[in-house]
Structures are given as structure tokens and as C-alpha cells.
Amino acid sequence: MNDIRDVIIIGSGPAGLTAAIYTARANMSPLVIEGEPSSTSDQPGGQLMLTTEVENYPGFPEGIMGPELMMNFRAQASRFGAEFITNKVTRVDFGQHPFTIEVGDTSYSTRSVIVSTGAQSLMLGLPNEDRLIGHGVSTCATCDGFFFKDQEIAVVGGGDSAVEEATFLTRFASKVYLVHRRDELRASKIMRDRAFNNPKIEILWNNEVVEVHGEEKLSGVILENTVTKERASLPVTGLFIAIGHQPNTSLFAGQLDLKSNGYLVTKPNSSETQVPGVFACGDVQDDYYRQAITAAGSGCMAAIDAERWLEETGE
Ligand code: NAP
């Protein structure tokens, strides 16, 4: 067992690294357990490591590559003394204070914890799909829509996210195909009507994307009709996957309150979980905004909440 730390931060996307910068500058000597490089759910740097250019992060008028932005966050946290472990947490115990965090055989003890394990977009699981993320395949219309001006693109999914993204993307694209596996949208009526009334959206009912093509960039997809099993090629330059998100909360089941969709519960306008001393920030507790800038903002909140909590409780 190591010495008791003031704060351990689990996860190293924009939320966790912002919490690291703030807690390091507050002399809390944060230890960041940043994740495992080979993993798509726990990779250090979070979801921005899977993007190319980020044009909506304030402060970078020319844009910045996602991985470079996260390396800058990390360097800034290191500069103030944050320590990093490049591995993933295997178990937590929030039932006793100080809390215990295990990374394989090593156990860490800490007075406070900031959970920033993020979320991952659900993917179709097709060959080429991951490789072409940032090169035509995207999971974020707000982030990448701008790159598809006057192009024909497809959105996969039939829920509110898919319809919202398809509608948003008509601002840029010349045509948006909404590819849905059934003959009825799951999306709410108001969203459905928006899609039906948008002349740029064509819904391809009863269709699934079964192949993703492209070398350097996406060149098109193959669709399969779920009823007739007929296959057709759709030569789109953009493919937005909007079939839902999964928060990375399996580690906390039974220890922290989860919403019915698996996201962590935090108190309104706060990063506090129901366990005093455990705070959560970023996408792991945000099923609504899901932006790097909002994650970073909530990471700052968590750092301030943890610092004040340690001070108030005399920890
Ligand atoms: P969702 O409601 O779970 O919808 C996922 C959609 O993707 C469904 O239509 C599903 O098809 C389809 N899908 C799932 N796996 C698939 C696969 N492997 N291949 C093809 N299609 C697949 O997820 P969401 O749209 O992200 O919404 C999540 C929650 O956020 C919902 O409660 C939603 O109401 C809410 N939300 C609200 C707003 C808003 O109000 N503005 C915006 C976005 C999200 P099936 O329908 O056949 O299952």
C-alpha cells in the first residue's frame, strides 16, 4: 500500500486532464490513472484521440488535431506536477475512507477521487470502420459536419441522436441519407417530423450498413435491405454513426449511483456523486452535451469541488 494521496483522477480525456491541471496547481499532487493505449474505451486522452481536426475548441483559430490537443493538456498538467500511470484501474472501493483504487496488483489509497472515465460511441463493428474514423467516418456531427460541405453523406441510426445529427448535417451536406434498420424511427415525434419535412434528408428504411469502403478516406458503403437481403452501394463521403453511446461505468456499478442509461449521477450544478469525496466529470456523467469544452469545464468544477471538500472536512 502506498501513502495516502489527496486525489486520484481516473481517466485522461479533457475532463480528467483539466481536473489534473487544477488540482496540481492547488498543490494536491494528483495521480492520474490515464488508461491503456491499446484500448478503444480506456485510451489515454479519451475520445479526442480518435478524431482528426478539432475546430471548435476555443483558443485555436486555425484548429488543432485531437491527439495534439490532448498532448498539450497532458503536458500542462505535468508541468504543475501531476503524475501519470499508463494503465487501467481494475477495481475501486469507495465503501471505506480513505478510498482504495487498484491497478492490477498495486493498490492506491486516496482521500478523494475524480472519476472521468468518459464514454464511447457505439460502433457498427465493421472492418475499416475504426480505421476511417476522422477520415470520413465520424461519431460527432457537431464536431465534423463542417467538413462535409456540399457532399452526400449518410447517418446510421433511428433514434433522437441520429435524427438530430441528420438534421444538423443538412446545414452543410447537399444530401443526407438516414439509414435505419427498421421501418419506423425510434426518435420522438417532433424529431421524426423534422426529418420527414427536411427535403435534404432521405430515409433508407430497413437498411443496414454492412461494408465500409475507402483507403485513405471513406469512398462509400454497402447497404443491405433487412427484408429483401438485397445489397446496394451508396457512394457517400461521410458516414456518421449515431446508434448510441456507452458510458465507461462498469467499474463503479454497485458503488456509485447510475442513471437507467448507465451514466453516473452527479448532484445538480456540482460534480459530487452520492459518496462524499468522490466526484465525477466529463462524458461519464454527461449524456447531453458531450463536448470536449463542456468536459473540460466540468473537470475544472470537479477539481474545485474536491479541493473544497478536502479543506472543509479537514482531510
Ligand atoms: P437510442 O435512442 O438508443 O437509439 C439508437 C438507434 O440506433 C436506434 O434507432 C437503434 O435501432 C439504432 N441502432 C442501435 N444499434 C444499431 C446497430 N448495430 N445497427 C444499426 N442501428 C442500430 O440512442 P440515441 O439516439 O443516441 O439516444 C439516446 C438517448 O438520448 C435517448 O433517450 C434519446 O431520446 C436522447 N436524446 C435526446 C435528444 C433530444 O431530445 N434532442 C437528442 C439526442 C438524444 P432500433 O430503433 O431498431 O433499436
Side-chain angles (χ1 to χ4, degrees):
M1 181 72 80
N2 295 264
D3 296 340
I4 303 175
R5 317 226 25 147
D6 279 340
V7 63
I8 288 183
I9 299 169
I10 310 176
S12 61
L17 292 177
T18 301
I21 293 167
Y22 272 76
T23 51
R25 290 192 76 253
N27 282 334
M28 291 161 73
S29 310
L31 175 67
V32 183
I33 304 176
E34 63 178 344
E36 203 179 32
S38 57
S39 156
T40 48
S41 60
D42 302 302
Q43 74 274 25
Q47 293 176 79
L48 281 189
M49 300 304 280
L50 302 174
T51 60
T52 48
E53 199 162 6
V54 179
E55 289 190 326
N56 57 5
Y57 201 88
F60 298 92
E62 306 301 326
I64 182 166
M65 300 304 273
E68 188 187 348
L69 180 62
M70 294 328 297
M71 273 155 54
N72 287 348
F73 270 58
R74 194 181 188 279
Q76 195 170 347
S78 286
R79 180 180 153 211
F80 297 110
E83 286 176 65
F84 290 85
I85 290 179
T86 311
N87 210 332
K88 63 184 207 182
V89 172
T90 42
R91 201 180 81 86
V92 298
D93 183 358
F94 297 155
Q96 285 186 33
H97 198 262
F99 307 119
T100 303
I101 310 259
E102 289 174 12
V103 178
D105 295 337
T106 313
S107 193
Y108 298 89
S109 196
T110 181
R111 296 178 179 91
S112 71
V113 175
I114 294 177
V115 175
S116 49
T117 45
Q120 49 187 312
S121 299
L122 295 177
M123 301 299 285
L124 300 171
L126 297 172
N128 295 333
E129 187 185 22
D130 282 352
R131 184 176 60 77
L132 290 172
I133 287 180
H135 304 277
V137 176
S138 172
T139 54
C140 177
T142 315
C143 319
D144 299 330
F146 189 74
F147 301 119
F148 295 91
K149 269 191 184 154
D150 300 324
Q151 299 178 36
E152 297 207 348
I153 61 177
V155 175
V156 185
D160 280 329
S161 293
V163 174
E164 190 171 72
E165 302 231 325
T167 307
F168 176 77
L169 287 164
T170 59
R171 294 184 196 186
F172 313 101
S174 53
K175 171 127 198 170
V176 178
Y177 295 99
L178 183 60
V179 181
H180 184 38
R181 62 184 177 185
R182 291 189 293 134
D183 61 357
E184 191 186 10
L185 294 175
R186 179 179 293 277
S188 51
K189 184 174 183 317
I190 184 169
M191 304 292 280
R192 289 199 303 263
D193 288 347
R194 231 172 261 174
F196 296 150
N197 294 329
N198 191 319
K200 280 191 177 179
I201 296 180
E202 179 177 341
I203 305 180
L204 302 178
W205 301 107
N206 297 319
N207 266 286
E208 275 180 330
V209 173
V210 289
E211 286 178 31
V212 175
H213 290 290
E215 288 304 321
E216 307 266 288
K217 288 197 302 189
L218 179 80
S219 57
V221 299
I222 303 290
L223 303 179
E224 185 176 282
N225 188 299
T226 52
V227 182
T228 63
K229 302 293 171 200
E230 267 172 46
R231 289 191 168 203
S233 151
L234 191 66
V236 285
T237 51
L239 179 69
F240 286 78
I241 318 273
I243 60 173
H245 288 80
Q246 174 102 42
N248 299 318
T249 49
S250 53
L251 206 53
F252 312 108
Q255 309 232 20
L256 296 177
D257 287 346
L258 305 181
K259 295 191 220 172
S260 59
N261 60 5
Y263 285 76
L264 288 185
V265 176
T266 47
K267 294 187 184 153
N269 301 318
S270 160
S271 66
E272 288 173 43
T273 68
Q274 96 279 10
V275 178
V278 178
F279 304 88
C281 53
D283 283 12
V284 73
Q285 50 84 59
D286 172 17
D287 55 10
Y288 188 72
Y289 296 105
R290 300 189 191 118
Q291 300 299 303
I293 185 69
T294 50
S298 73
C300 166
M301 288 167 62
I304 292 174
D305 288 344
E307 184 191 351
R308 291 191 180 153
W309 183 81
L310 289 174
E311 206 168 280
E312 279 162 19
T313 55
E315 289 284 346

